[in-house]
């Protein structure tokens, strides 16, 4: 009866698996603060993505960790950069079984760990960064990415990327914009996984303030749509379900929510202590995110949950 009258359903195809691929490692490396998550080699990534596709997961989003980082994040748009190589591997193998997506940002590639280029004074240079994002997006699309997801929160990033993709023959590659992205402590474990903690300062100059005006999130969403975004994202998920609902009510395009690393780590840590019912808590958190308005959910549990939903 509960199944018959359910108001909120999860489906494997609505789930997106975030994955990390690292250059220059021989074996997958566990991420201490995210039990069950690894930094992949190109080979182990292939296997993980095949498994996700087999489970019916709707998409994967790639994050790359280069061996060498520099001030301009050269690995981000290098055709031989780790994400580009990994995308090419996957594009030929999994094809249309799921949507190959790529996070477009500089923080994994810069030695200072910020999401943009810096001025001499050490401030993030918004406009100079746009060219780097555009170039990275084109490199990802050429390598086989079928959805570009800019996460750096620079003003004008969607427009710059759209223009560059169109000019390079990728008018059909859509943009999923991380539109309402908060400067969140919940990204802590991700910064271990992607080795991208800022070396000084924090991201509060470009990401949103958790207690800031709600209208700011809605305005960011509207601006991204006006610039050509095809879908928008709210991030993190659980502490921002109210924002998610308001975004859902505001727009016609698909809305994604990112259940981020800290949300994952909290449940895994409590479960490891035997304090909670891990599986129920995972499912309940995902149902809550869906009910708040997410059409798609990025979650590190995507493959596991997809399998459970199919069982
Ligand atoms: C930036 C980016 C971050 C996450 C996704 N893209 C980190 C940040 O903004 O500091 C965080 C995801 C997570 O915590 O799971 N490239």
């Amino acid at each position: 009866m509960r199944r018959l009258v359910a108001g909120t359903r999860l489906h494997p195809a609505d789930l997106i698996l975030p994955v990390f691929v690292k250059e220059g490692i021989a074996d997958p490396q566990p991420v201490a603060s995210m039990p069950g998550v690894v930094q992949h080699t190109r080979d182990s990534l292939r296997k993980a993505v095949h498994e996700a596709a087999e489970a019916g997961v709707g998409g994967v989003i790639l994050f790359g960790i280069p061996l060498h980082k520099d001030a301009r994040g050269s690995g981000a748009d290098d055709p031989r950069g780790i994400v580009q190589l990994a995308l090419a591997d996957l594009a030929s193998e999994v094809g249309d079984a799921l949507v190959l997506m790529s996070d477009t940002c500089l923080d994994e590639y810069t030695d200072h760990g910020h999401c943009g280029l810096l001025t001499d004074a050490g401030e993030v240079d918004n406009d100079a960064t746009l060219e780097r994002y555009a170039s990275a997006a084109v490199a990802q699309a050429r390598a086989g990415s079928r959805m570009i997801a800019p996460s750096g929160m620079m003003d004008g990033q969607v427009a710059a990327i759209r223009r560059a993709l169109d000019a390079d023959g990728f008018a059909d590659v859509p943009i999923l914009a991380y539109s309402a992205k908060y400067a969140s402590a919940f990204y802590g474990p991700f910064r271990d996984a992607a080795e991208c903690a800022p070396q000084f300062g924090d991201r509060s100059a470009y990401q949103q303030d958790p207690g800031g005006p709600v209208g700011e999130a809605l305005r960011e969403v509207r601006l991204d749509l006006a610039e050509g975004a095809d879908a928008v994202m709210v991030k993190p998920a659980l502490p921002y379900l109210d924002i998610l609902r308001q975004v859902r009510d505001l727009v016609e395009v698909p809305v994604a929510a990112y259940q981020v690393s800290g949300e994952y780590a909290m449940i895994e840590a409590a479960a490891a202590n035997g304090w909670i019912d891990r599986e129920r808590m995972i499912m309940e958190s995902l149902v809550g995110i869906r009910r708040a308005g997410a059409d798609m959910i990025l979650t590190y549990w995507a493959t596991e949950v997809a399998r459970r939903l199919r069982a």
Side-chain angles (χ1 to χ4, degrees):
M1 181 69 85
R2 276 189 286 272
R3 188 176 64 178
L4 179 67
V5 301
T8 304
R9 287 180 210 276
L10 293 169
H11 191 275
D14 305 329
L15 304 176
I16 298 167
L17 177 69
V19 289
F20 304 101
V21 57
K22 183 168 174 174
E23 186 179 7
I25 51 172
D27 298 298
Q29 305 291 315
V31 179
S33 51
M34 301 179 74
V37 172
V38 299
Q39 296 175 324
H40 282 290
T41 65
R42 282 169 67 185
D43 260 347
S44 71
L45 178 67
R46 279 187 165 107
K47 185 162 172 278
V49 173
H50 273 290
E51 285 169 4
E54 229 151 75
V57 167
V60 287
I61 181 163
L62 273 69
F63 295 89
I65 306 134
L67 206 48
H68 303 290
K69 304 192 181 208
D70 58 24
R72 51 191 300 279
S74 301
D77 59 340
D78 180 351
R80 307 286 305 160
I82 183 66
V83 157
Q84 281 67 255
L85 295 177
L87 282 167
D89 293 340
L90 297 172
S92 62
E93 282 184 30
V94 286
D96 290 332
L98 44 65
V99 179
L100 270 187
M101 307 168 47
S102 49
D103 183 270
T104 305
C105 196
L106 290 185
D107 60 331
E108 296 99 17
Y109 304 94
T110 52
D111 50 9
H112 47 73
H114 277 288
C115 296
L117 300 179
L118 300 180
T119 63
D120 292 340
E123 307 240 354
V124 170
D125 187 337
N126 187 98
D127 293 3
T129 300
L130 298 182
E131 283 174 41
R132 300 289 302 127
Y133 285 179
S135 174
V138 167
Q140 292 171 349
R142 285 182 185 166
S145 178
R146 284 294 156 263
M147 196 165 208
I148 300 296
S151 67
M153 290 297 279
M154 297 298 134
D155 293 339
Q157 64 184 15
V158 172
I161 289 172
R162 185 71 274 158
R163 211 175 306 122
L165 289 174
D166 290 354
D168 211 69
F170 294 107
D172 57 348
V173 171
I175 296 176
L176 165 59
Y178 286 70
S179 299
K181 177 172 174 182
Y182 286 85
S184 174
F186 285 85
Y187 306 150
F190 174 93
R191 292 177 188 172
D192 296 338
E195 300 174 17
C196 65
Q199 296 305 301
F200 63 91
D202 57 33
R203 304 207 204 290
S204 54
Y206 40 103
Q207 299 179 350
Q208 289 174 207
D209 182 21
V214 169
E216 188 182 20
L218 304 181
R219 181 162 177 270
E220 290 280 0
V221 166
R222 277 196 219 98
L223 284 168
D224 282 351
L225 289 175
E227 290 178 26
D230 301 280
V232 295
M233 196 195 301
V234 174
K235 175 182 173 200
L238 223 44
Y240 299 94
L241 294 183
D242 58 324
I243 304 290
L244 185 53
R245 167 48 55 191
Q246 292 187 59
V247 169
R248 171 67 289 165
D249 290 344
L250 179 73
V251 304
E252 293 83 29
V253 299
V255 176
Y258 198 146
Q259 183 180 53
V260 301
S261 56
E263 299 177 64
Y264 177 90
M266 286 194 305
I267 292 181
E268 290 290 351
N273 275 297
W275 294 339
I276 55 158
D277 182 330
R278 178 180 177 278
E279 291 184 9
R280 284 187 58 200
M281 207 135 157
I282 291 172
M283 297 313 270
E284 188 175 338
S285 64
L286 290 169
V287 165
I289 294 165
R290 190 92 168 84
R291 196 177 59 240
D295 301 299
M296 308 178 273
I297 305 175
L298 290 81
T299 173
Y300 298 98
W301 289 302
T303 304
E304 174 186 332
V305 169
R307 284 185 182 139
R308 193 173 309 137
L309 291 170
R310 287 192 150 185

